[in-house]
Amino acid sequence: MRGAKVATSAPGGIGASVRRPDGPAKVRGEFSYAGDLTAEGMLIGVTLRSPHPHARILSVDTTAARAMDGVHAVLTVDDVPGDRHFGLVLRDEPVLADGVVRYAGEPVAVVAAVDAATARRAARAVEVVYEVLPALTDPQLALTAASVHPDGNVYRHVSYSCGDPDARGVVTVENTYRIGMQDPAFLAPEAGLARPTPDGGVAIEVATQWLHSDQKQIGWATGLPPEKVHVSLAGVGGAFGGREDVTLQTHACLLALATGRPVKIEYTREESFLAHRQRHPGTIWLRHSADADGRIVSVEGRVLLDGGAYASTSPVVITNTVTLLQGPYRVDNGRFEGWSVRTNNPSCGAMRGFGVPQAAFAHEAQLDALAAALDLDPVEIRLTNALQRGDVATFGQRFDAPTPVREVIEGLRAVPLPTGPAKAPGGVGRSAEGGTVRRGVGWAVSIKNLAFSEGHVDESTAEVSLRDGHATVHTACAEVGQGFVTVAEQVARTVLGATTVDVVQPDTLVASAGSTSASRQTMASGTAVHRACLAVRDRMLGRVARAHGLDAATLTVADGVVCAAGRPLGPVATAAPGQTFRATEHFQHPATHPLGSPEGGMYVAFGFSAQRAVVDVDVELGLVSVVQIASCQDVGTVVNPTQLLGQIEGGIVQGMGLALMEEVVVADGLITNPDLQDYLIPTIVDAPEIVSTYVTDPEPGMPHGWKGVGEPPLVTAVPVVAAAVRAATGLPLPAVPIKPEHIALGIGAAPTVTWTTPRPADPDRPRGPVVDEEPHDAPGTMAEEGAPPGP
Amino acid sequence: MLLEAPRFALPETLGEALAARAERPEAVVVAGGTEVMPDLLWRNRTAAGFLSLRRVAALRGTATDGGELVIGAGTPVAALTTAPDGGLRAAASSLGTPLVRTEATIGGNVVSALPYRNLLPTLLASGATLELTSATGTRVVPFDGFVTAPGVTGLREGELLTAVRLPVHVGFADYAKVGRRNAQFVATVSAAVVSRDGVARLAFGNAGPTPLRSDAVDTAATALLDGRATPADLRATVAAAVDPPEDTVASAEYRRHALGVLAVRLVTRAAVDAGLGS
Ligand SMILES: Cc1cc2nc3c(=O)[nH]c(=O)nc-3n(C[C@H](O)[C@H](O)[C@H](O)COP(=O)(O)OP(=O)(O)OC[C@H]3O[C@@H](n4cnc5c(N)ncnc54)[C@H](O)[C@@H]3O)c2cc1C
């Protein structure tokens, strides 16, 4: 790690590489994941799913299944006591299929039985008669085809312009880019255990990203008030957005309530692929115009994202993609439009990057195409156009926090190129020997919005207590591997001077922390913990002041010691023996506003990242070895250097996976590769050397100056790998994942370059943004009263 | 759950194994289980019982017999990563992961009979033979022709594959495999070469429904080896000889192309080894 200014602080405080409390158990295989949950008298729940992407259900007969020995419940939509529909943004998805199935894998019935084999047999014994309907699988056709859902086929249409979109420099480059459907591919399939509670309610332990969203949606279906639905976090084995939507939560609770017994559901790998949300596949058309120096004059873009059968966060993802088509560059003139649409393909939703990797892949390919057309250096063209603090985005928001785009590019430039021998493309297959391997170097820079957007409330609450130097921190922030467990501990050590810290397993006994997504939890829950620690510290110091007859205003805590006017008084651990101090504090970011709103910005904050990839390509066979990815990222204050590096490395490898191999292949609405033999993710042999450097400008308004870091590394890795492969091969490669045959057979159209007569922007055109359609008229824009936000 | 299957035989000697095979023709033979278990999990196969070969020590190990290397069918793939035959070594080293190689056996790979399995092209290129044994005796058949369709072999009822025999030769043998990542991948296509006394023999994986070789290809390969033909000639001959599948992993066109590239590279390696090439 280079260039990181790490704050010095109390041992184990902010800036230290504090180890995860669950680390040793995970390494030894002793960690209890949700799939390990068990309870006395537990039943096993199994889901019967539709084999068809689109069909009418003519009848469901559960008689035979119910009559089987060992079967305790068989539920269909008619057994849902509350609201039959749920969803993160729109309530358009049936808890169990209601007359129609709209994707292959849609739950039709759920069974609880004494063991898995019996439950599976019973599920097979449920007789469903389908009338197969034509499946709408082409998102382009979805715009005009008959609706496959009463709410229509368009989740959201976004369209706006800024300045004069018809302004021209000397050249335009345009192309159409395609991004495949990526799966979060977390290693521990969905699992949870629900039990009826004595008060007539239900409790569920589940691997999730958002406890209160689950609680609310379980409440809708069961008809129970929130205080009777208790959600607690079970051990999570990866999430990446794929656990943000409800999958088995409601089913397990309905079965537990119906049977009066604990019910566990654990998906198979195949079910996991069928049930959770994937990253939106999409097509993006972009046209950039630039002057001879490479300065961007105007950008026009059009996006079509396939949202699949149900809304999930499709209405939110599309705005991310469309508004960030400009990339981390200053764009004064532009026209942007996008749709997220409903089809009978698998439903797509949140996945690390949330619509932005798609945009980044396209805008970075365009920057390279512009550089090539104008014979400019790819780094220089990025520096020429780099956003700066004070610039205004195409969507009208002023970048009023540090905007270190130039700094991340310059920081990256300082990293030397790799010199050592590299792993050959083709790896263990040894196919490259005797062939020709060409090296390529590519650059990419990205912008990622951090935290929730467009008016979705971004908040968290923390309860902290302190007694004899031991702190307890309680939030509903789901730990999914990102490291909030150490952040909370580090804050309690630094602020409170705690010697030991217990981070309580998250549950719904404390107020919502929002989702663990959108790179937001250090900013939201970390800040709530910080505030609660300050309140506890002040209470403790007040007590100490009274006991010693001192003025509380002169007391501070430093390195675990209470000081009076800077002089040590004694350790925090013995400052008030036997006394417990407690506080609950809430944090909420300043409000954001929908696109086009005159009131203010859409986004809370932004993170910037630059990467350089070095690849070796066996051009004849189309095989790639990623030799090195160097990264320089805008990370605010470094809270935990090891955890930070983990986010950078993991994000880069996941982004590289999308660039080179990861794709859920859907044919006629059916996933053809729902397993990890055919859905390939990078192995450690594929992972490159990663060099990570940072720009550490503190984020204004955040305690300690921290900011979100989890998504940008993935966002940048997708375009940077593609850029390096293009550099090695000279091919346009407008689609990811790049398949060997795209390289070997030269598949994919090159950008169209057109030389133009310069046409300055019409000064009378409003700076913008001018929204062509009222956002609240569009389906899916927070239309639902009280609907929870997307990330 | 899977082991609750009604009958499970765990013989310790070959005699017991053959007796069990004769008594329970419906039982699924399990060696390493790295094919059988995923198949059961994914419901590609059902089992009315199992016959495990794991404890049959006589099926494990490698010996030389005259001019032949005799590999017990139960020999783990991990043991083949140091085999004297370069082709077998390369094919074994790129099979699965270290964990899989420890469990997987050569016998399981051969009897799986899937065209993309690693070891098959090397056995075909080297002219291997198979020992097939039943309670009534042993027959030795060429590997060439043993696989008749994907997953289908000439193994008869009551028979076990007991050993694979390869000619021990002083020539050059190698194997290469193409996939979509750099480790732990199913071959999109693969190829093996054996060259001896100036004659090259090639075999291909996933180039058709069964492991594939052709005299025309070997003639062209031999011509390339001694400089009488160009790489383009060999590629064209390979393209005409193969009939690869088209699926979501790769197009038939890519496979045909990649098979030609592998053929040329392997023959070039053989030429370099023999001091013939550049
Ligand atoms: C994660 C993973 C990765 C893999 N990667 C690869 C790879 O890269 N390349 C590759 O080729 N394969 C791969 N495989 C498949 C498998 O590991 C190999 O084919 C292996 O060699 C099979 O051997 P086994 O002993 O495990 O077979 P088993 O599963 O025990 O048996 C396979 C078949 O052979 C039959 N059989 C086994 N032994 C005998 C015998 N002596 N006589 C008669 N019939 C017999 C069985 O009845 C069954 O039909 C992979 C498997 C996994 C799980």
Side-chain angles (χ1 to χ4, degrees), chain A residues 278-646:
Chain A
Q278 276 87 10
R279 183 188 305 291
H280 289 76
T283 332
I284 299 178
W285 170 83
L286 267 180
R287 178 160 61 199
H288 279 66
S289 170
D291 66 21
D293 304 333
R295 192 169 298 278
I296 295 169
V297 174
S298 64
V299 179
E300 296 155 276
R302 224 168 22 239
V303 179
L304 178 63
L305 297 182
D306 183 352
Y310 295 106
S312 179
T313 45
S314 287
V316 190
V317 171
I318 184 66
T319 5
N320 266 14
T321 313
V322 172
T323 57
L324 296 179
L325 283 176
Q326 74 174 94
Y329 309 113
R330 180 163 162 179
V331 175
D332 294 337
N333 306 299
R335 182 188 287 128
F336 304 95
E337 185 166 25
W339 295 261
S340 54
V341 298
R342 190 190 306 274
T343 62
N344 296 119
N345 289 325
S347 294
C348 293
M351 188 181 164
R352 195 176 192 178
F354 206 70
V356 186
Q358 293 91 326
F361 172 63
H363 66 63
E364 287 308 87
Q366 285 284 105
L367 263 282
D368 285 340
L370 264 186
L374 295 166
D375 200 18
L376 295 169
D377 178 74
V379 178
E380 290 305 328
I381 197 169
R382 288 173 167 86
L383 287 168
T384 301
N385 290 291
L387 277 174
Q388 294 179 48
R389 191 172 188 158
D391 284 347
V392 176
T394 59
F395 44 93
Q397 184 164 353
R398 185 174 297 279
F399 292 97
D400 49 15
T403 306
V405 180
R406 288 202 172 147
E407 290 81 347
V408 292
I409 298 172
E410 297 290 5
L412 183 58
R413 253 188 175 173
V415 179
L417 282 163
T419 49
K423 290 174 278 192
V428 301
R430 290 184 47 247
S431 51
E433 285 169 42
T436 309
V437 171
R438 276 197 245 145
R439 179 156 288 196
V441 179
W443 295 74
V445 193
S446 77
I447 174 173
K448 173 70 184 63
N449 57 311
L450 309 174
F452 292 159
S453 57
E454 285 199 281
H456 296 302
V457 173
D458 193 302
E459 62 179 350
S460 184
T461 295
E463 290 175 6
V464 171
S465 68
L466 178 74
R467 183 188 160 117
D468 298 337
H470 178 71
T472 304
V473 181
H474 189 185
T475 71
C477 169
E479 172 62 41
V480 304
Q482 83 277 23
F484 182 72
V485 273
T486 71
V487 173
E489 180 182 331
Q490 290 173 270
V491 172
R493 287 186 197 273
T494 295
V495 177
L496 216 44
T499 16
T500 50
V501 185
D502 218 6
V503 180
V504 177
Q505 193 67 358
D507 59 28
T508 47
L509 292 174
V510 60
S512 178
S515 175
T516 296
S517 61
S519 304
R520 63 177 287 279
Q521 284 293 19
T522 298
M523 295 193 297
S525 294
T527 304
V529 171
H530 173 80
R531 290 185 171 187
C533 286
L534 286 179
V536 167
R537 185 197 65 184
D538 290 348
R539 277 169 204 179
M540 175 196 59
L541 293 180
R543 171 75 59 143
V544 172
R546 280 196 299 283
H548 291 77
L550 295 166
D551 176 3
T554 65
L555 299 184
T556 52
V557 169
D559 291 349
V561 173
V562 177
C563 301
R567 293 218 325 280
L569 210 58
V572 168
T574 55
Q579 299 285 333
T580 302
F581 304 94
R582 225 186 277 281
T584 302
E585 290 289 329
H586 173 254
F587 169 74
Q588 186 174 333
H589 284 289
T592 55
H593 303 278
L595 170 64
S597 159
E599 289 158 78
M602 292 174 65
Y603 298 118
V604 167
F606 301 92
F608 302 93
S609 146
Q611 290 174 14
R612 183 193 63 209
V614 177
V615 302
D616 282 347
V617 183
D618 178 338
V619 182
E620 228 179 352
L621 288 175
L623 306 181
V624 178
S625 167
V626 184
V627 177
Q628 186 203 58
I629 295 184
S631 158
C632 185
Q633 189 173 322
D634 155 38
V635 295
T637 300
V638 177
V639 180
N640 183 322
T642 302
Q643 300 265 21
L644 171 60
L645 186 60

Side-chain angles (χ1 to χ4, degrees), chain B residues 29 31-36 45 53 96 105 108-109 117-118 161 177:
Chain B
V29 175
T34 61
E35 295 264 355
V36 170
R45 184 201 285 259
L53 302 180
T105 66
N109 204 264
R117 288 300 179 219
N118 276 39
L161 171 65
K177 159 188 183 188

